[in-house]
Amino acid sequence: MKRLLPVAAVATTAALLLTGCGSDNGGQSGETKKVTVGISQFVEHPSLDAAREGFVQALKDGGYTEGENLTLDVQNASGDQATATNIASNFASSNDDLILGIATPSAQSLAQAVTDKPVLFTAVTDPVDAGLVNSMDAPGANVTGTTDMNPVAEQIQLIKKLKPGAKSVGIIYSSGETNSQVQVDEAKKAAQAEGLKVEEKTVTTTAEVAQAAESFDTDSIYVPTDNKVVAGLEAVISAAEAKKIPLIAGEGDSVERGALATQGINYTDLGKQTGEMAVRILKDGAKPGEMAVESQKETKLIINAKAAKAMGVEIPQSLRDQADQVIE
């Protein structure tokens, strides 16, 4: 059951030469000169990995192949902000033609450190609140990208659809991630509308996820697209299975790993969108500051039937029929 999300209008400016925000490719518009692209990923987990892979695939589709006319420099901060800052500093002094930040903390570090070359971001929930852009339609400066903002209210509504008698929801997230706080605020509003009492648990590291999840005294658990929590998702899945309560996730990769359901985006596709923006910059000279931030055009209802059994939840046939994907 595909749902449409708002999509910022795509900027149409495409100059022949890249000026004021990156290396000069030279030649005519459309040429695929040799380029170097830096990637700063905040932490490894399937969703962010998928975004990176989608980004690289879009570069290839656009004529940039690693080992031929594309050099990639991929760095991972392993969930540490200080490391992300150091990576950004190194990229600032590099000769890269374009740099991608995957997840809000890495993107913020790059935006602060890199001012003379194009910076793209992906897997960022609220780019304006994170201080990355002036606005979604007119980012300004040298930074733009794609947002992974999900239909949080629809995700919370899944709780009552899967467990009609639910009266409460536990929300676990990282206290240091701006993107998570934005989603939690939306989730609390949606929970109130559904008559669900909210119990919050915050973590500062992935190592704290298991204890937080086990301490919930709720009828359900909700995990937003929080990088540190998703990196330790198996601990939340185990807690939900032990408590026999549904675990609703912020995106599809988490459902494939064992969460019960989501109405969410596809991170591979989101990465591809970002890669297509990169191609417009590298090949056509588009200016990031004039390229509107993009969001994914549709979301999908994904249900994990195996997880439902483990969590003691019976999936209504009507919901199963609406699903875009049922993982058996």
Side-chain angles (χ1 to χ4, degrees):
M1 183 178 64
K2 298 178 179 178
R3 304 287 183 99
L4 297 182
L5 284 177
V7 182
V10 178
T12 58
T13 302
L16 292 177
L17 297 176
L18 187 61
T19 58
C21 61
S23 303
D24 185 354
N25 281 331
Q28 296 182 347
S29 175
E31 290 186 0
T32 52
K33 296 284 189 177
K34 290 184 178 180
V35 298
T36 300
V37 174
I39 298 178
S40 176
Q41 182 171 325
F42 187 58
V43 68
E44 284 190 357
H45 62 65
S47 298
L48 300 189
D49 293 346
R52 185 189 69 244
E53 291 162 4
F55 177 80
V56 175
Q57 182 61 52
L59 289 178
K60 185 176 181 180
D61 294 343
Y64 295 99
T65 301
E66 189 175 9
E68 296 180 9
N69 59 352
L70 170 65
T71 299
L72 288 177
D73 183 2
V74 182
Q75 302 291 325
N76 195 294
S78 299
D80 182 71
Q81 184 61 64
T83 302
T85 300
N86 186 54
I87 290 171
S89 178
N90 290 335
F91 275 137
S93 60
S94 73
N95 293 319
D96 293 338
D97 296 279
L98 179 145
I99 304 169
L100 170 70
I102 303 178
T104 302
S106 287
Q108 288 175 316
S109 294
L110 288 173
Q112 292 169 6
V114 182
T115 58
D116 63 345
K117 62 195 73 175
V119 173
L120 288 177
F121 56 77
T122 190
V124 171
T125 302
D126 191 334
V128 177
D129 188 68
L132 296 173
V133 297
N134 294 330
S135 72
M136 298 290 279
D137 290 327
N142 62 313
V143 182
T144 190
T146 58
T147 171
D148 65 353
M149 186 63 187
N150 280 289
V152 175
E154 291 184 45
Q155 292 170 353
I156 294 297
Q157 289 166 10
L158 286 173
I159 295 171
K160 282 291 190 72
K161 292 178 181 180
L162 288 160
K163 189 170 184 177
K167 299 183 183 301
S168 58
V169 55
I171 303 177
I172 181 171
Y173 64 102
S174 170
S175 58
E177 291 195 32
T178 302
N179 61 303
S180 299
Q181 189 61 61
V182 170
Q183 293 173 83
V184 171
D185 290 344
E186 290 297 316
K188 288 164 70 174
K189 293 177 185 177
Q192 183 177 17
E194 292 293 309
L196 295 168
K197 180 181 178 181
V198 174
E199 183 179 332
E200 297 178 53
K201 301 289 182 182
T202 60
V203 299
T204 57
T205 68
T206 297
E208 298 174 359
V209 171
Q211 182 177 355
E214 291 166 2
S215 67
F216 278 126
D217 183 21
T218 58
D219 299 323
S220 61
I221 300 176
Y222 173 68
V223 173
T225 57
D226 182 288
N227 295 295
K228 292 180 181 177
V229 177
V230 173
L233 185 69
E234 280 67 28
V236 188
I237 294 170
S238 295
E241 291 176 351
K243 298 172 183 291
K244 299 298 180 184
I245 59 175
L247 167 60
I248 306 302
E251 39 71 41
D253 290 310
S254 291
V255 178
E256 292 184 6
R257 289 166 69 186
L260 176 53
T262 192
Q263 180 82 47
I265 67 172
N266 181 287
Y267 275 83
T268 300
D269 291 342
L270 190 71
K272 286 180 180 178
Q273 270 187 258
T274 319
E276 290 164 0
M277 297 177 77
V279 171
R280 296 202 296 274
I281 293 170
L282 294 168
K283 186 181 289 188
D284 301 326
K287 298 179 181 180
E290 298 175 1
M291 300 172 70
V293 175
E294 297 184 19
S295 59
Q296 194 157 112
K297 299 174 179 65
E298 59 187 34
T299 63
K300 294 183 178 181
L301 173 59
I302 305 173
I303 301 173
N304 189 322
K306 183 178 179 180
K309 184 176 180 179
M311 295 172 191
V313 176
E314 184 174 348
I315 303 170
Q317 188 60 46
S318 59
L319 194 62
R320 182 185 282 267
D321 292 342
Q322 295 173 40
D324 293 283
Q325 180 183 2
V326 177
I327 301 169
E328 299 292 351

